[in-house]
Amino acid sequence: RHGGASGAETSVLDVGCGPGAVGTELAFLGHQPIDGIDISPEMLEVAATKVLPDDSPAYRQLVEADLTATIDVPDRSYGGIVSAGTFTFGHLGPESLTELLRVGAPGCRYAVGVNAIHYREQVFDEWLENACADGAITKPVLVDVAVYEGDHEHAQDRALVVVFERI
C-alpha cells in the first residue's frame, strides 16, 4: 500500500531492519511511513542514517526490540509487515510470528523471508497451518527465492518468502 494517508492502513514495519536496506528501498518505492525494529542498537544507528532523495529520513521511527518477548508497539499498528534475514539459523522461530500478528491490523499484508532449511527444521508450516485454521491469517503463499545473487559461496542457499494477510 502506498503512502499518503496515515495510520495502520499504510504504515509498514520492517522487522529485523538491520542497517536499513529493506526499509529504505520500500520508502524509495513510496511505501511510507516505515518503522523499523531490531535487537541491535548498533544496526539501528546505521538505519537511522538512511535518507531519501529529499533528505528526509527513510524511517519514521526505529525501536530496539527482541521478538522473543512483547515488543513496545501497540496492537494493530501496521498495514504491512516485512522481514528479510531475521527468520534464520540462530535467530527466530515461528513462535515470534505470534507477536507480529498482534501488531498487524486486520488486512495487514505480511512478507516474511525464512531460510528454507530453518523453515523445515522449525516447522513453520505447522504454525502457519494452525494460524490459518484458527482464522487469524489467510492461507499463506510460499515463494522460493535465492538468498544470494551471483557467484557467492552460499549461492545455493534458498529462502521461502511467506506471504499472507491478517484476518
Side-chain angles (χ1 to χ4, degrees), residues 42-125:
E42 295 82 11
M43 288 292 101
L44 291 172
E45 285 180 24
V46 176
T49 67
K50 304 297 178 163
V51 294
L52 300 177
D54 66 0
D55 287 329
S56 66
Y59 288 92
R60 174 178 63 181
Q61 67 177 346
L62 293 161
V63 176
E64 185 178 342
D66 178 351
L67 273 174
T68 64
T70 301
I71 58 176
D72 188 20
V73 173
D75 294 356
R76 298 179 178 96
S77 295
Y78 294 98
I81 294 182
V82 63
S83 180
T86 302
F87 291 88
T88 190
F89 303 107
H91 289 252
L92 299 174
E95 63 283 348
S96 294
L97 292 172
T98 302
E99 184 64 0
L100 295 182
L101 280 184
R102 181 186 67 77
V103 302
C108 177
R109 294 179 184 169
Y110 291 75
V112 179
V114 184
N115 176 282
I117 296 169
H118 187 63
Y119 181 94
R120 288 188 298 278
E121 289 179 353
Q122 296 293 313
V123 291
F124 275 79
D125 57 343

Side-chain angles (χ1 to χ4, degrees), residues 123-149:
V123 291
F124 275 79
D125 57 343
E126 185 177 302
W127 187 95
L128 293 163
E129 287 170 16
N130 289 336
C132 192
D134 291 344
I137 65 170
T138 59
K139 182 176 172 50
V141 174
L142 304 179
V143 181
D144 185 287
V145 298
V147 175
Y148 301 98
E149 294 180 351

